[in-house]
Amino acid sequence: MKNPAAFITGQTIVETAPLVPELRLHLASEITPIWQATETHLAEMNIEPPFWAFAWPGSQLLARWILDHPQSVSGRKVLDFACGGGLAGIACAHAGADEVFVNDIDPLALEAACLNALLNGLTVIPRAGDLVGRVPEGIDLLLCGDVCYNQQMADRIVPWLRDCARTMEVWMADPGRPYAPREGVEILTLSVLPTTMELEGKTARETRLCRILPDA
């Protein structure tokens, strides 16, 4: 894609997520083209499903917790894994993190995360590629939200997160997916968040933020 920034700004509107009114984001809504596009149409355009264009429950809960507890990230080096639009990472930058890296396998997500940071007068550092299987160096805190959306993904990601938890803190936010870990975690907070029928099949989901513990 020749101009990903123009594509993102042309397919979204600037809004705030319900739980995080402090931060502005380029988001899809019912009036934006990307919301209305079918998977077939996106595939014809060689575009991955635009997960980056929505403020998912997990990323909202992460961002809310961070903004309410800025001391938990202040001065730290943070990695927002599978960042989507980068909401959690941007919240860390807003709360005083030393450096914030955003990672996603979708290049458009990294572009969106950087654009969203810029909207808020903040900076995040994109880190492209699939990081699973490699413990990132120099990171104090790894964040991830909404990543256990099927069994295959959970089976691949959760053991890696536990490996990472040996050398850094790892926080996961999940909106009640059956594939998310229930043991070997420490719950930080729980909240019922508004969602949409189009994205979640429900109007609300109980979402939890937990610390992933390393294997004993």
Side-chain angles (χ1 to χ4, degrees):
M1 184 177 295
K2 289 184 178 179
N3 194 334
F7 175 81
I8 290 166
T9 56
Q11 298 284 326
T12 58
I13 59 176
V14 175
E15 290 187 312
T16 59
L19 207 64
V20 196
E22 297 94 327
L23 300 175
R24 298 188 300 156
L25 305 167
H26 293 283
L27 295 174
S29 77
E30 293 180 8
I31 64 171
T32 54
I34 206 161
W35 177 283
Q36 300 162 15
T38 65
E39 268 191 62
T40 301
H41 178 60
L42 292 171
E44 289 171 354
M45 297 169 67
N46 195 29
I47 295 169
E48 295 290 327
F51 299 121
W52 50 265
F54 303 96
W56 297 90
S59 65
Q60 289 195 55
L61 188 60
L62 272 164
R64 184 70 268 152
W65 174 264
I66 290 159
L67 293 177
D68 290 343
H69 303 84
Q71 71 280 0
S72 66
V73 300
S74 179
R76 304 179 83 176
K77 295 184 186 298
V78 180
L79 172 65
D80 186 358
F81 168 72
C83 65
L87 176 56
I90 293 165
C92 289
H94 188 276
D98 184 43
E99 286 185 308
V100 178
F101 298 90
V102 291
N103 165 256
D104 205 286
I105 58 173
D106 183 355
L108 273 178
L110 293 182
E111 185 73 30
C114 292
L115 286 173
N116 287 334
L118 187 62
L119 261 182
N120 296 280
L122 300 166
T123 301
V124 295
I125 305 166
R127 182 177 285 186
D130 186 353
L131 299 184
V132 177
R134 299 179 280 142
V135 176
E137 296 181 1
I139 298 297
D140 303 311
L141 174 63
L142 188 155
L143 310 174
C144 58
D146 311 281
V147 294
C148 292
Y149 49 83
N150 63 39
Q151 190 67 62
Q152 182 181 12
M153 187 61 65
D155 288 346
R156 181 168 184 259
I157 287 178
V158 173
W160 171 70
L161 293 176
R162 295 203 188 281
D163 282 345
C164 291
R166 297 179 185 278
T167 57
M168 67 192 72
E169 267 196 88
V170 178
W171 296 353
M172 171 189 280
D174 180 80
R177 310 282 185 208
Y179 318 105
R182 292 288 182 267
E183 298 180 353
V185 301
E186 175 188 336
I187 294 177
L188 299 177
T189 189
L190 287 166
S191 184
V192 177
L193 302 188
T195 60
T196 66
M197 293 296 294
E198 290 84 359
L199 291 179
E200 295 285 351
K202 294 183 176 183
T203 57
R205 276 190 177 272
E206 183 178 78
T207 304
R208 65 176 187 157
L209 172 60
C210 62
R211 179 181 289 113
I212 299 290
L213 303 178
D215 287 324

